[in-house]
Amino acid sequence: MKNSKNILFLTFFVLFLSICCKKNNSDIGGIEPRAFIEDSIRKNLHIPDDAKHVLILSHAAHMDWDWLNTFPYNANKTGTVYCQGYFRPERQPGDSILTYATQNLKDTAYYYSVCEMAFLRAFAKNKPMLFDQMKASKRMRVVGGGITSPDNLLPNGETFFRNFLVANQWLDEVNVPWTQQIWIPDDFGHDPQLPVMLNAMDAMGVGFSRIPGGCSGGNQAFKAPKNQLLNLQNGGVDFIWKSTDGSKVIAHWLEAHYNQGADIDSSEKDYANPEAINICGPKVNFVTPQGHIKSYIGANKPVSPTPYIYVQVSDDFMIPYQKIVEDAKLWNSDSDGYFKTGVYAVVATFDQYTRLVNSHSKKLKTRTYNPPSNQTQVDSFSPNPYWMGFYASRPALKILHHKATKSLLGAETFQVMANRLLLSNALKKQEQLDALYSAWNTLVPSTHHDYITGTAIDGVCINEQLPLLKDALKRGNNLRSSFMNSVVNKLPPAASQVAVFNQLGVDNSGVIEYSPGTSDTTYINVKAPSMGYMVNNLTTALKGNGSLKMKTLPNGYYYFENSLLGVIFNNKNGNLINLVDKYTGRDILSGIGNEIEFYEDNGNIYRFGYEDGNCKFKKDTTVTYKTESITLNTKNPLNKSIKVKRKYILDGKTFL
């Protein structure tokens, strides 16, 4: 090779579908008879045989990895604090929350759930004796089970899985089981095909809150999903969510948000019926826990299609309510409670609730996104983005997340290749696996619904999120380069040759950038097999097939073409004015192809402006621009470019 250190790889992505846990009743129905499962859970919860309906009061604090403060502060008040007043008597960091929960677990009628394993892992490290007590109770449930509660729209699919896989590896080490339930109550909308991912993980159920029209997000123009689920004849907050490939999970929508029961010991107002939730008001004032329980039943029971009703009794970083078992017992013994309403109250978990609901799955509607018209037995469900401003917020977070994912996937691919060729020993392989696990552990928090979305405050983004992502990317790149180098170093030297690596699961070819040990960058046309490498002839790789051309038209305009497309740029201002599909001969461009337009938004990092009911953005006509320069680079047979530099003036400020 000309230089045995010259290594290139085709930067494409392959998704490795992974199973997050050991198989355990993978069907929605499970392996055991459903009636047996229902009877077993009812017996454990001491539910009377004659109880026609059961209210599940569930304790589980929602703990953000970071949002207003960094993870160390959220875990145990160490490190930098940005929001000084966030923690107060009723809101505490993770270690304190789980300490209170451990105390409550001494009562055999009490259950507690933890969603975010980063906080449970920190608690196990910081307070090991209490963690052992929590485990010993056998009434702590892992509902969710990722390092953090992930967004399911923006993360790379593989990193979404790894969020759970990294956590699951730790859960195996400490001998704590996962419940097969996913808990994503704070995501800003959902992927309509999410059941595909959840089935691959062997998940059974999913709980979520934010869907279009939900009352916790202000006025929204699109309300159909909420209205459908709250319809007293054809709705239901529990249903079978089906994707277009047939994947299914038990789905539960938290119709009054994930903090519906957080007011149980206060004098707050509640929704008392589904109609009130459907119009986002009015609420009724209750001053006692029994009054609140009555309101929960009034709001939730009419749209709960099975005998079971669910209420989440918690909120962000809220300490466990200490009297929840006592309040349930009081309701069950009160003449105006269970004896009057026929609804028995217990403290239990979303896992127990989902399995109880699943025992009555024949009563559940099947819902999917845009069901075919010939599937009359399937109803629609559109969990579209609840807010959309986060798509455009802090793009660096999103770019770094996906780059780091690709680098780590490449590192894993080439690790296997290198060890196969070099016959690495077991100790060396374990060191490599430890390094890869550590890198994934650094990356997976970025799946958090306030991390990759860009909705955290400036200090958290700048001082925690961006550094973590840059570190994950650096680790991935270093590992990938190390494994590729170990392969290349075993190849015999040869002039005018370059080794090209491909981390995809398919053969690939194309034009890529090439830096032959200098600061200069050129382009070469190369190929490599699936998950492998190929030595390409450099002289041949530098040549094109002659289809890429550039010329100046008689009117001065610049014309670029390859075998598929022809494009025309205005030579005066750099505007892209024509884009012709050479196969059909049609100009497929409408308007100017490279012009930046500005619109008045009046939204924020969560919302675009139109989400409050306006149909359109208003174009900002005060913005002006001037083309500063146009630079052509047409010498390379594989890459010809035009660079347009413009100066924009917005609100008296100049941007290039």
Side-chain angles (χ1 to χ4, degrees), residues 579-594:
L579 177 61
V580 176
D581 178 352
K582 294 177 70 173
Y583 180 76
T584 62
R586 288 193 309 111
D587 183 358
I588 57 177
L589 181 67
S590 175
I592 297 172
N594 61 341

Side-chain angles (χ1 to χ4, degrees), residues 15-29:
L15 176 66
F16 294 136
L17 290 178
S18 307
I19 300 299
C20 278
C21 67
K22 300 179 180 68
K23 283 284 183 180
N24 179 18
N25 294 351
S26 59
D27 275 347
I28 291 179

